[in-house]
């Protein structure tokens, strides 16, 4: 019973984080949700008795891809900031950027 | 969700269609007949010939090693593509490393290298193997980069390029080498199979680690774009 409940919650959380990752407007939150999705997916693989896939998913899917996406978001924000400053030198500051 | 524009209506339509397809596929899953081919039993029956006792490693590096060989080739091509298309990077402003991150990296990176070695060794008889070991090695590279202890890749030198290719090279040499004994490509002799698989996996772990880390390390330094754009 407990296992079934856990699996059902895991399945719902997977679909929910995947949907949110696609639908949130801010890229940074999208990447965070993608990483959370990757970790939940690793859990799902572990529940399906596929520890090899769980290891690979956690390390490559969530870890490395997450780091690459975060790096890309950081670069995008900086380009955007620089463009804004150029167009509107006294313009308002953007919110803090992730690094 | 008022479909004010055609774009939004298109999105809603796509979402509806995808959800419909997902439901249909889920429903079809329940109608599937049980699989005719019992792969787990077939693998278990001939596991002794592979020199490893973990079925996943046996499939990846013996029964379907041709697939893995090509996969490693694709990884090498991918990192060559990244290195070739990368824009010329001027020296960006390297941010000062975070002291907490630096301390964390000092503690965890040696542990990660040990874990990678363990995963590589464990691959023969339990979950683990070259891909997982390589991914952990790559993660330690990313951590060192973030802590400011590794520079971004400028142009990889000879040693680095050799490291990227060594996995595929060893794999190809072993794959072709067994043909000297008169057997087909990748058909390792049973008594040597375990050692050969470990040798291939060791090379693969290094190459995969460098490749995955290289995707991150060849990105320009954080300050580089700011200078370009302003």
């Amino acid at each position: 019973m407990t296992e079934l409940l856990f699996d059902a919650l895991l399945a719902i959380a997977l679909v929910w984080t995947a949907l949110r990752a696609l639908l949130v407007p801010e890229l940074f939150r999208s990447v965070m949700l993608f990483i959370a999705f990757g970790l939940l997916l690793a859990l799902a693989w572990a529940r399906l008795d596929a520890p090899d896939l769980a290891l690979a998913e956690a390390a490559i899917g969530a870890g490395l891809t997450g780091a690459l996406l975060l790096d890309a978001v950081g670069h995008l924000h900086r380009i955007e900031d620089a463009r804004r400053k150029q167009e509107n030198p006294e313009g308002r500051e953007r919110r803090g950027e992730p690094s | 969700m008022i479909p004010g524009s055609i774009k939004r209506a298109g999105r809603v339509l796509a979402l509806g269609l995808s959800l419909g397809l997902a439901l249909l596929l889920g429903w079809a899953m329940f109608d599937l007949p049980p699989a005719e081919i019992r792969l787990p039993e077939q693998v278990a029956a001939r596991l002794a010939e592979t020199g490893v006792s973990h079925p996943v490693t046996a499939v990846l590096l013996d029964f379907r090693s041709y697939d893995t060989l090509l996969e490693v080739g694709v990884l090498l091509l991918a990192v060559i593509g990244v290195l070739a298309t990368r824009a010329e990077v001027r020296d960006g402003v390297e941010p000062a490393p975070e002291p907490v991150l630096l301390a964390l990296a000092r503690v965890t990176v040696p542990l990660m290298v040990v874990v990678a070695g363990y995963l590589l060794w464990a691959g023969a008889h339990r979950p683990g193997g070259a891909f997982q070991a390589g991914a952990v090695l790559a993660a330690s590279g990313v951590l060192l980069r973030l802590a400011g202890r590794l520079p971004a890749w400028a142009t990889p030198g000879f040693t680095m390029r050799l490291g990227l290719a060594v996995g595929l090279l060893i794999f190809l040499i072993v794959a072709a080498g067994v043909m000297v004994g008169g057997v087909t490509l990748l058909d390792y002799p049973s008594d040597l199979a375990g050692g050969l698989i470990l040798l291939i996996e060791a090379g693969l772990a290094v190459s995969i680690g460098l490749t995955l880390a290289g995707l991150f390390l060849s990105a320009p330094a954080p300050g580089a774009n700011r200078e370009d754009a302003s």
Side-chain angles (χ1 to χ4, degrees):
Chain A
M1 183 59 205
T2 325
E3 287 192 355
L4 189 69
L5 193 68
F6 181 78
D7 289 349
L9 280 177
L10 189 57
I12 293 168
L14 266 175
V15 175
W16 182 244
T17 44
L19 268 179
R20 294 286 298 160
L22 288 174
L23 297 177
V24 288
E26 302 97 338
L27 279 178
F28 181 69
R29 288 178 67 187
S30 190
V31 172
M32 282 298 140
L33 284 160
F34 175 81
I35 294 173
F37 171 76
L39 291 174
L40 287 172
L41 191 57
L43 260 183
W45 284 125
R47 286 290 300 144
L48 288 168
D49 279 335
D52 293 84
L53 284 177
L55 278 171
E57 172 63 37
I60 300 176
L64 279 172
T65 317
L68 276 174
L69 288 174
L70 274 181
D71 194 49
V73 168
H75 279 286
L76 283 177
H77 277 211
R78 279 188 209 97
I79 293 171
E80 209 172 300
D81 278 358
R83 192 174 297 148
R84 249 164 230 243
K85 219 174 280 173
Q86 215 170 17
E87 282 168 5
N88 183 10
E90 289 116 56
R92 65 221 178 277
E93 278 293 308
R94 271 178 59 83
R95 63 191 166 75
E97 67 206 22
S99 58
Chain B
M1 291 277 275
I2 306 150
S5 63
I6 299 170
K7 203 173 169 186
R8 171 155 287 188
R11 276 187 199 162
V12 172
L13 185 69
L15 185 66
L17 284 176
S18 316
L19 279 178
L21 183 65
L23 282 177
L24 202 66
L25 284 174
W27 176 64
M29 279 290 289
F30 288 103
D31 263 7
L32 281 179
E36 300 268 323
I37 308 166
R38 305 299 303 163
L39 280 177
E41 282 82 351
Q42 289 186 7
V43 169
R46 309 196 62 175
L47 198 57
E49 292 174 27
T50 63
V52 292
S53 56
H54 186 53
V56 175
T57 307
V59 170
L60 279 180
L61 283 149
D62 200 322
F63 300 135
R64 303 303 303 246
S65 47
Y66 189 57
D67 298 18
T68 310
L69 179 64
L70 295 182
E71 205 175 303
V72 174
V74 168
L75 266 181
L76 183 60
L77 281 179
V79 78
I80 289 173
V82 167
L83 288 174
T85 57
R86 191 175 48 131
E88 198 63 42
V89 180
R90 272 180 281 158
D91 286 341
V93 182
E94 294 275 348
E98 302 251 355
V100 179
L101 194 57
L102 194 56
L104 181 76
R106 285 217 168 103
V107 176
T108 50
V109 166
L111 280 175
M112 286 164 96
V113 174
V114 174
V115 168
Y118 168 75
L119 281 172
L120 177 64
W121 178 252
H125 46 91
R126 60 179 66 190
F131 276 86
Q132 285 81 356
V136 173
L137 277 182
S140 65
V142 170
L143 194 57
L144 283 176
R145 171 83 188 107
L146 290 175
R149 305 306 295 175
L150 272 183
W153 279 13
T155 312
F158 178 74
T159 324
M160 194 68 94
R161 280 180 272 166
L162 187 68
L164 284 172
V166 73
L168 187 64
L169 278 178
I170 291 181
F171 210 154
L172 280 175
I173 289 170
V174 171
V178 293
M179 292 171 81
V180 175
V183 292
T184 49
L185 190 73
L186 286 165
D187 188 5
Y188 326 123
S190 285
D191 46 342
L192 289 177
L196 288 178
I197 285 177
L198 187 64
L199 176 70
I200 293 170
E201 286 213 291
L204 286 187
V206 171
S207 285
I208 291 168
L210 280 176
T211 303
L212 295 177
L215 297 179
F216 191 84
L217 289 171
S218 57
N225 276 334
R226 194 197 305 249
E227 289 177 354
D228 288 353
S230 59

